[in-house]
Coordinates of all heavy atoms in Angstrom, one line a residue:
Q91 N -2.7 17.6 5.2 CA -3.2 16.8 4.2 C -3.8 15.5 4.8 O -4.8 15.0 4.3 CB -2.1 16.4 3.2 CG -1.7 17.6 2.4 CD -0.4 17.4 1.6 OE1 0.4 16.6 2.0 NE2 -0.3 18.1 0.5
L92 N -3.1 15.0 5.8 CA -3.6 13.7 6.4 C -4.9 14.0 7.1 O -5.9 13.1 7.0 CB -2.6 13.2 7.5 CG -3.0 12.0 8.3 CD1 -3.3 10.8 7.4 CD2 -2.0 11.7 9.4
N93 N -5.1 15.1 7.8 CA -6.4 15.4 8.4 C -7.5 15.4 7.3 O -8.6 14.9 7.5 CB -6.4 16.8 9.1 CG -5.6 16.6 10.4 OD1 -5.6 15.6 11.0 ND2 -5.0 17.7 10.8
T94 N -7.2 16.0 6.2 CA -8.2 16.1 5.1 C -8.5 14.7 4.6 O -9.7 14.3 4.4 CB -7.7 17.0 3.9 OG1 -7.5 18.3 4.4 CG2 -8.7 17.0 2.8
A95 N -7.5 13.9 4.4 CA -7.7 12.5 3.9 C -8.5 11.7 4.9 O -9.4 10.9 4.5 CB -6.4 11.8 3.6
L96 N -8.3 11.8 6.2 CA -9.0 11.1 7.2 C -10.5 11.5 7.2 O -11.3 10.7 7.5 CB -8.3 11.2 8.6 CG -7.0 10.5 8.7 CD1 -6.3 10.9 10.0 CD2 -7.2 9.0 8.6
T97 N -10.7 12.8 7.0 CA -12.1 13.2 6.9 C -12.8 12.6 5.8 O -14.0 12.2 5.9 CB -12.2 14.8 6.8 OG1 -11.5 15.4 7.9 CG2 -13.6 15.3 6.7
K98 N -12.1 12.4 4.7 CA -12.7 11.7 3.5 C -12.8 10.2 3.6 O -13.5 9.5 2.9 CB -12.0 12.0 2.2 CG -12.1 13.5 1.8 CD -11.2 13.8 0.6 CE -11.3 15.3 0.3 NZ -10.4 15.6 -0.8
N99 N -12.0 9.6 4.6 CA -12.0 8.2 4.8 C -12.1 7.9 6.3 O -11.2 7.4 6.9 CB -10.6 7.7 4.2 CG -10.5 7.9 2.8 OD1 -11.0 7.1 2.0 ND2 -9.7 8.9 2.4
P100 N -13.3 8.1 6.8 CA -13.5 7.9 8.3 C -13.4 6.5 8.7 O -13.2 6.2 9.9 CB -14.9 8.4 8.5 CG -15.6 8.3 7.2 CD -14.5 8.5 6.1
Q101 N -13.4 5.5 7.8 CA -13.2 4.1 8.2 C -11.8 3.7 8.5 O -11.5 2.7 9.0 CB -13.7 3.2 7.0 CG -12.7 3.1 5.9 CD -12.6 4.2 4.9 OE1 -13.2 5.3 5.1 NE2 -11.8 4.1 3.9
T102 N -10.8 4.6 8.3 CA -9.4 4.3 8.6 C -9.1 4.1 10.0 O -9.4 4.9 10.9 CB -8.6 5.5 8.0 OG1 -8.8 5.7 6.7 CG2 -7.1 5.2 8.2
T103 N -8.5 3.0 10.3 CA -8.1 2.6 11.7 C -6.6 2.3 11.8 O -6.1 2.3 12.8 CB -8.9 1.4 12.2 OG1 -8.6 0.3 11.4 CG2 -10.4 1.7 12.3

Side-chain angles (χ1 to χ4, degrees):
Q91 292 168 331
L92 176 60
N93 285 332
T94 300
L96 288 171
T97 299
K98 292 178 182 176
N99 297 280
Q101 78 284 2
T102 303
T103 59

